[in-house]
Amino acid sequence: MKLLKIAAFAVLLLTGCSAIAVEHPGAIPKEDNCSSCHADKSRGKSVHSAMAGPCGVCHLVQTRGDMTTMSLMMPKERICFACHEESAALRLHAPAKDKMCVNCHDSHSSNQKMLLRKLSDLGISVPRS
């Protein structure tokens, strides 16, 4: 498993970091652990296996002076497939075909099965019975 994570990280680095950066308030010391403030990202009925590894597998953290920026290692349309094989079953799944996994699946954790986002987050209404 550790070898897979290292390989995925290498793929992420080699493919470039063209994702949008988000400013994170303040400077973050290198020894700080993201989960000390973002514990909710690793809790839920369904937790992504990547959460067992360092955040740097998917995220690039850069601190300059008193500002830290966070970005994905690669565009969100490609990041899932750095670790997840594009199987025949996924090619039949329309959102996966369009490489928009994160539109329906949370990349960290969820209280829904298969890391699914809440239906209300997807703009889907559920008929009442």
Side-chain angles (χ1 to χ4, degrees):
M1 183 66 175
K2 187 173 182 175
L3 184 59
L4 176 64
K5 289 179 185 177
I6 293 170
F9 183 68
V11 168
L12 293 172
L13 288 176
L14 293 173
T15 56
C17 302
S18 58
I20 298 171
V22 174
E23 287 187 355
H24 191 282
I28 302 173
K30 289 189 185 294
E31 66 277 357
D32 273 9
N33 185 339
C34 301
S35 64
S36 60
C37 292
H38 301 284
D40 61 322
K41 297 288 185 189
S42 60
R43 291 189 194 135
K45 291 179 184 174
S46 179
V47 178
H48 192 228
S49 60
M51 295 303 292
C55 300
V57 170
C58 297
H59 297 278
L60 175 65
V61 180
Q62 295 179 310
T63 300
R64 291 191 181 122
D66 64 350
M67 185 53 65
T68 300
T69 57
M70 303 279 299
S71 59
L72 290 174
M73 287 293 211
M74 61 177 46
K76 69 179 184 177
E77 295 81 15
R78 294 191 333 207
I79 199 160
C80 298
F81 297 108
C83 297
H84 296 276
E85 183 180 329
E86 292 186 67
S87 66
L90 279 180
R91 284 191 286 268
L92 297 175
H93 183 57
K97 217 168 27 174
D98 295 335
K99 301 185 188 309
M100 299 306 292
C101 308
V102 295
N103 285 355
C104 298
H105 300 272
D106 191 295
S107 54
H108 299 103
S109 65
S110 171
N111 281 324
Q112 315 297 319
K113 64 180 181 176
M114 298 175 65
L115 294 167
L116 287 170
R117 296 181 181 276
K118 292 182 209 167
L119 292 177
S120 60
D121 292 346
L122 302 173
I124 299 170
S125 60
V126 179
R128 295 181 185 207
S129 40

